Amino acid sequence: MALSELRFLSRTLGKQVGAFVILPDNAKPPFATLYLLHGMSDDYSIWLRRTRIESYAEKYPIAIVMPDGFRGFYTNADNGPQYATYMTQDLINSIERHYNLKSSRAARCVGGLSMGGYGALRLGLGYPELFASCHSHSGALMYGSAPIAKSRPGQSKEFGLIFGKNPKGTDHDLITLAAGCKKKGKLPKILIDCGQDDFLIQQNRDYSDALTKLGVPHTYAEAPGLHNWDYWDTHIQSALAFHAKNLKLKG
């Protein structure tokens, strides 16, 4: 596998940003693309430093893009940076301009862990015209579906700037976004997993139940594990296989 780092100007954020890109050696371009998102306390180098993502990626003709996500949950903040716009416009345009990648929905997917798990579904369900599939490991999936004070005590100031006081029913709400995708008849394939001893396990169960009630097809899995890299290093492997089944890899 080849590893590249791209730094570019995000006009949406008004600053220079970066991304690492893993490129396949086992196939001819153009490649399908997985946008792989980090968690709240990390940066765009973390997947490379804490997992064997390069080794796992060798099985697939898929480029893996690991971008700067900052602390914005990959959504357009009510009072702050417009991270969803940055991801879906600046990032994708820059990546596809500089690398030989397929530029169709059928060849794009997005995934992530924790904050990035929420972000992957926020982007996949918020922009279903861009992504064929999305996955979440240990995602904070209900953070946009309840008032700030109830769902995130102790972090209400920071998260209030991102989500607003009551994000339920807005573009921050993953349940609302899923319902909208179903109504439009344009749903990405969805994979959700979480460790059984993860502090976010109930949020993942609640969100899966909500999707089931909406009649939104998805794959949900639990396994032994905590909110840590041992769990994510294991389960990114099944996520790669999931996306490979749902992406257009040839032609």
Side-chain angles (χ1 to χ4, degrees):
M1 307 297 286
L3 178 65
S4 172
E5 183 177 10
L6 178 67
R7 295 182 179 275
F8 62 96
L9 173 66
S10 166
R11 298 192 182 279
T12 299
L13 301 182
K15 72 181 300 291
Q16 293 288 329
V17 295
F20 279 111
V21 183
I22 297 172
L23 295 167
D25 289 329
N26 59 354
K28 293 181 180 180
F31 302 118
T33 312
L34 165 62
Y35 291 87
L36 188 59
L37 313 181
H38 64 74
M40 190 172 185
S41 63
D42 292 315
D43 65 15
Y44 69 102
S45 71
I46 197 67
W47 278 101
L48 291 170
R49 292 189 288 124
R50 301 299 299 273
T51 75
R52 295 183 63 202
I53 186 66
E54 276 192 272
S55 176
Y56 304 144
E58 289 179 349
K59 298 179 182 179
Y60 307 102
I62 300 173
I64 301 177
V65 177
M66 295 157 282
D68 248 332
F70 308 97
R71 290 174 63 90
F73 280 82
Y74 306 92
T75 193
N76 286 337
D78 274 27
N79 186 10
Q82 304 296 283
Y83 288 114
T85 300
Y86 146 64
M87 292 288 297
T88 56
Q89 293 184 19
D90 304 348
L91 175 66
I92 289 178
N93 289 341
S94 292
I95 290 293
E96 292 183 354
R97 185 168 63 250
H98 288 91
Y99 298 93
N100 195 351
L101 306 175
K102 298 177 188 291
S103 58
S104 66
R105 175 188 190 265
R108 289 195 207 98
C109 59
V110 59
L113 65 88
S114 196
M115 179 187 82
Y118 167 92
L121 269 61
R122 167 66 179 89
L123 299 176
L125 297 172
Y127 302 87
E129 71 280 4
L130 294 180
F131 301 102
S133 56
C134 53
H135 86 265
S136 167
H137 303 303
S138 315
L141 303 183
M142 299 296 286
Y143 273 26
S145 303
I148 291 293
K150 292 183 179 180
S151 61
R152 293 167 297 283
Q155 294 179 302
S156 59
K157 183 177 180 180
E158 179 181 9
F159 288 179
L161 294 174
I162 298 170
F163 297 106
K165 291 183 179 180
N166 187 3
K168 185 176 182 179
T170 71
D171 284 347
H172 305 304
D173 187 344
L174 299 183
I175 297 173
T176 296
L177 292 179
C181 284
K182 185 187 178 188
K183 186 176 181 180
K184 294 175 184 176
K186 202 171 186 68
L187 276 163
K189 301 294 184 182
I190 302 169
L191 170 66
I192 298 166
D193 67 62
C194 192
Q196 293 168 335
D197 294 312
D198 193 303
F199 74 97
L200 289 172
I201 185 63
Q202 193 58 51
Q203 286 202 30
N204 282 260
R205 290 169 177 168
D206 290 347
Y207 187 67
S208 178
D209 288 346
L211 292 184
T212 299
K213 289 179 182 178
L214 288 172
V216 171
H218 65 288
T219 300
Y220 177 73
E222 295 181 7
L226 297 164
H227 199 82
N228 62 24
W229 286 102
D230 288 336
Y231 179 87
W232 301 321
D233 183 55
T234 296
H235 290 274
I236 186 57
Q237 299 173 67
S238 56
L240 287 168
F242 167 80
H243 290 304
K245 290 179 180 178
N246 292 296
L247 291 175
K248 182 180 180 181
L249 301 179
K250 298 181 179 179

